[in-house]
Amino acid sequence: MPSSCPECGSSNVVEDDLYSQRQWVCVDCGSVVSEGHLTTTVSDETQGRAVPYHASTEVLKKPCRNLIAGFSRVRALCRILRLSSDMESAVVSLFERAYNHPNFIFVTLTKKEILGGCCVLSVCRQCNWPVAMGTIGYLLGVDNATLGTVYREFTKALNIEISTIGIMDMLESFCYDFKLGPQQVEEVFAEPPQRLVDRTSALIELAADAWIVTGRQPLPLLFAAVYLAWQSLNPTVRMKYTFVKFCKIGKAPEQSWHRSRDSVVKRLKELRDVLCKLGRELPWLRGGTVEPNTVVPLVDDILKNHRALLLRAVRNYEQQLQNESQTAQTTECDNELSDSNRSESHSSTTPELMDPDQAGCENPADKQATDCQLPPDHWSKRHLFLPPCVKNRKRQRVDAPQLEVTGDEEISDSEIESYIRSQDEIEMYLKVQKELKKMA
Amino acid sequence: MEQNNSLTPFPQGLASPPGAMTPVMPIFSPTMRYNTGLTPQPVQNTNSLSLLEEQQRQQQQQQQQQATPQLYHSQVSTTTALPGNTPVHTTPLTPMTPITPATPASESSGILPQLQNIVSTVNLGCKLDLKTIALRARNAEYNPKRFAAVIMRIREPRTTALIFSSGKMVCTGAKSEVQSRLAARKYARVVQKLGFPAKFLDFKIQNMVGSCDVKFPIRLEGLVLTHQQFSSYEPELFPGLIYRMIKPRIVLLIFVSGKVVLTGAKVRAEIYEAFENIYPILKGFRKTT
């Protein structure tokens, strides 16, 4: 601390800071005797460093840009699907939670988009609002598999319980998607939505009884059922319109059905086959032929009496099987079986009308009969209606014969030698590698 | 059916008298099914089997056992810790009629899941030079840019091994525990012959996969409704139902065709137990038209 002013010689020097700079000033002549550093070192600063962005309150108040974009996208999805405002706010809060979750904060932007779709799907499931994954998929432009993986990660990370949605739940909103009102299309094509829903649900119930529904993608089946229902409600006029034509008439969005067109065709074939099997049992046809491409006019009658027709079809099929097995018997099986067959046929002719399950029950006598013949999947031939994956087995899996080993036996040297290259082979291999490197 | 709950729970084909070398506890028994609340309870099925079918099934089992006695041997599981027993008692082909009669619905299914894949690991106990192995072995492939291990295959038992430079090895593709052990030993022997001081330490079975066919179609939609807390069925993602059983901790893939895949087991008995647990449940959903 200086004691005297070099200008005037007085000893009246006081410390008088100029803003934050320490200065010693002479009181008498006003000259600055000495001054401190203008800048400070890090250790001097009591305030510390500047506050980084991520710790500032600005982060809390203003969410990141991608999150804002995500919010608007998610809200748009909710509006397209016409969700209520409560559901929309639930979706938005769920999306915020998911976005900021450590598993998802650093993923790619496309994945964050899909995450928005998953939030919508999850809230819809919770509120029993029927939305298929395929719908969300085509709205986002991703396929089911990608959506599925993100959805599984999302439910696991946020501990959300998944509830399954049935095909019948999706039916009504699906049917209403088709614009077939009397004001929207011509008279011959128009169909009040409720009638379409009723007919389609009857068809799908029939398909479920015939094992076409379980394990399959619901959307192609819904398309096929709606198309058949629409045709059957006015068969004389509508028979000539193909499925693609129907979608164009009903103004179904092309992305929703275009990709699954092949599946729809397959489901149509399966549905028509089931209808044919039942159509053949109609007594007033008197055994006339029922072909898949002409069965649609009969759909009305078939659906009205479907329970009785199912019973008849199954019973006739079993009768047919019994007759076949009886003629193919060896003598001893024959004697044993004809007694049990007779007793079984008595019991099977009196099933309760509301319990078609009993009619298709495993026939123990038949089982023993088929064991005599021993084909590997003979159980499938006992049933008239089966999941198509059972009836259309493409390739018989051949199990290799089981090795009888103990795990601790001796390993022969020759076997091990066969897995090791000889010196010549190694040299040749190295030579070839060198040549290839030279050429490349 | 009551006459079957006699003092001879063991099949006729075996020479062991009951009582002399009785196993301490059968690996799985129908009574275990009702132990904890975590074990799925079978829904009471309306299609109860007729007596005739029941007897025929038992007869079939007897015939099967007598016709193929060597089958027991290959199903010996050397990894299960049964204290000092002859392994033949653990055969699951035994009709598991309990000595203390439980409910009549607790007969065994008569179907045996087949093991399809065993994954095991072993430590060879020394550092390995993967380039040398890939150069000097005929059956090895090594692409360090794609994967940091040598992929080696042997013909018998038909298996694949991943051999890492740390000396650890994963062996996959075997159809039984003993085959997996034999295969792992063969790989270790190959590595030894290539000049490394390979040992055979800590052989452990990590995963077993089994499959079987219940021979009737299953209503998966019904199953997911009644067993919601265990099942996950998304037909848009996967055609099968994924059932996560808690006891034993096994994941089952159940398909509409009646085929069931069981995975996640460390010992064979877990697969059998899981199947015996699920079979009565599936029977409840067997609705034929």
Side-chain angles (χ1 to χ4, degrees), chain B residues 265-286:
Chain B
K266 289 270 192 296
V267 294
R268 183 188 286 250
E270 283 177 1
I271 293 203
Y272 295 149
E273 187 187 343
F275 182 67
E276 292 300 318
N277 285 348
I278 201 81
Y279 188 68
I281 298 170
L282 296 181
K283 273 207 305 203
F285 288 98
R286 151 214 206 163

Side-chain angles (χ1 to χ4, degrees), chain A residues 12-29:
Chain A
N12 205 356
V13 175
V14 292
E15 191 178 327
D16 183 12
D17 293 348
L18 173 67
Y19 300 114
S20 59
Q21 189 181 23
R22 285 174 80 182
Q23 289 181 336
W24 284 270
V25 180
C26 172
V27 175
D28 299 334
C29 67

Side-chain angles (χ1 to χ4, degrees), chain B residues 193-206:
Chain B
K193 284 236 155 79
L194 291 174
F196 297 94
K199 302 187 260 309
F200 197 74
L201 311 168
D202 307 324
F203 175 77
K204 184 172 178 218
I205 304 249
Q206 300 291 353

Side-chain angles (χ1 to χ4, degrees), chain A residues 93-382:
Chain A
S93 59
L94 184 60
F95 180 67
E96 193 173 353
R97 250 181 77 203
Y99 188 93
N100 292 321
H101 192 277
N103 286 9
F104 295 112
I105 187 79
F106 298 121
V107 298
T108 56
L109 288 178
T110 34
K111 204 166 179 185
K112 284 179 179 167
E113 277 185 38
I114 302 177
L115 194 63
C118 294
C119 294
V120 174
L121 186 61
S122 173
V123 169
C124 286
R125 290 253 175 116
Q126 281 170 8
C127 304
N128 270 329
W129 190 266
V131 169
M133 272 192 197
T135 312
I136 306 260
Y138 100 77
L139 284 174
L140 291 175
V142 294
D143 61 326
N144 270 357
T146 335
L147 181 61
T149 36
V150 181
Y151 184 63
R152 283 215 179 102
E153 271 183 56
F154 159 79
T155 47
K156 217 183 201 178
L158 272 77
N159 273 332
I160 298 177
E161 234 181 69
I162 314 179
S163 50
T164 333
I165 192 170
I167 191 173
M168 299 305 269
D169 301 327
M170 293 193 266
L171 177 62
E172 201 169 323
S173 59
F174 187 82
C175 288
Y176 275 81
D177 264 349
F178 286 89
K179 297 182 181 46
L180 293 166
Q183 296 87 21
Q184 293 159 323
V185 288
E186 291 174 27
E187 182 65 43
V188 282
F189 301 145
E191 207 58 67
Q194 194 52 47
R195 231 177 132 215
L196 197 63
V197 168
D198 292 336
R199 180 54 66 94
T200 314
S201 75
L203 271 173
I204 293 200
E205 263 185 48
L206 190 64
D209 279 338
W211 293 101
I212 299 178
V213 175
T214 314
R216 258 83 178 282
Q217 298 261 358
L219 284 180
L221 188 62
L222 282 172
F223 272 115
V226 166
Y227 170 58
L228 274 182
W230 177 79
Q231 273 194 325
S232 70
L233 286 168
N234 193 350
T236 42
V237 184
R238 297 176 186 168
M239 273 298 284
K240 59 181 193 260
Y241 292 100
T242 60
F243 170 68
V244 176
K245 227 32 207 340
F246 164 68
C247 288
K248 295 207 170 109
I249 293 172
K251 296 198 189 60
E254 183 151 343
Q255 315 101 293
S256 64
W257 56 264
H258 191 78
R259 242 183 338 203
S260 47
R261 212 174 25 185
D262 296 331
S263 309
V264 175
V265 166
K266 283 188 206 149
R267 297 298 163 266
L268 275 173
K269 180 174 179 300
E270 284 165 8
L271 264 175
R272 288 193 184 116
D273 283 339
V274 169
L275 289 169
C276 282
K277 279 185 187 152
L278 293 183
R280 285 186 196 115
E281 304 299 326
L282 283 172
W284 51 85
L285 287 182
R286 291 169 207 233
T289 50
V290 179
E291 292 304 311
N293 40 5
T294 55
V295 74
V296 174
L298 299 171
V299 168
D300 204 22
D301 292 330
I302 294 173
L303 287 177
K304 278 205 190 100
N305 310 300
H306 73 276
R307 283 211 173 264
L309 289 174
L310 265 172
L311 276 176
R312 276 186 73 146
V314 172
R315 226 181 294 150
N316 288 343
Y317 186 72
E318 286 194 334
Q319 199 64 44
Q320 205 184 346
L321 277 181
Q322 282 178 11
N323 295 340
E324 278 173 16
S325 65
Q326 272 179 352
T327 52
Q329 282 311 311
T330 58
T331 46
E332 28 184 8
C333 284
D334 213 15
N335 292 337
E336 205 178 51
L337 273 167
S338 41
D339 299 334
S340 40
N341 267 346
R342 257 178 255 132
S343 60
E344 271 307 314
S345 55
H346 281 312
S347 60
S348 67
T349 43
T350 55
E352 296 152 20
L353 204 62
M354 292 316 287
D355 195 6
D357 312 339
Q358 288 295 330
C361 240
E362 229 175 61
N363 191 344
D366 249 2
K367 191 176 170 193
Q368 192 154 49
T370 59
D371 281 343
C372 293
Q373 298 167 15
L374 280 182
D377 59 339
H378 198 88
W379 72 271
S380 66
K381 297 193 183 142
R382 250 182 281 131

Side-chain angles (χ1 to χ4, degrees), chain B residues 10-22 86 88-89:
Chain B
F10 301 103
Q12 266 70 1
L14 297 176
S16 57
M21 290 197 290
T22 329
T86 51
V88 281
H89 296 299

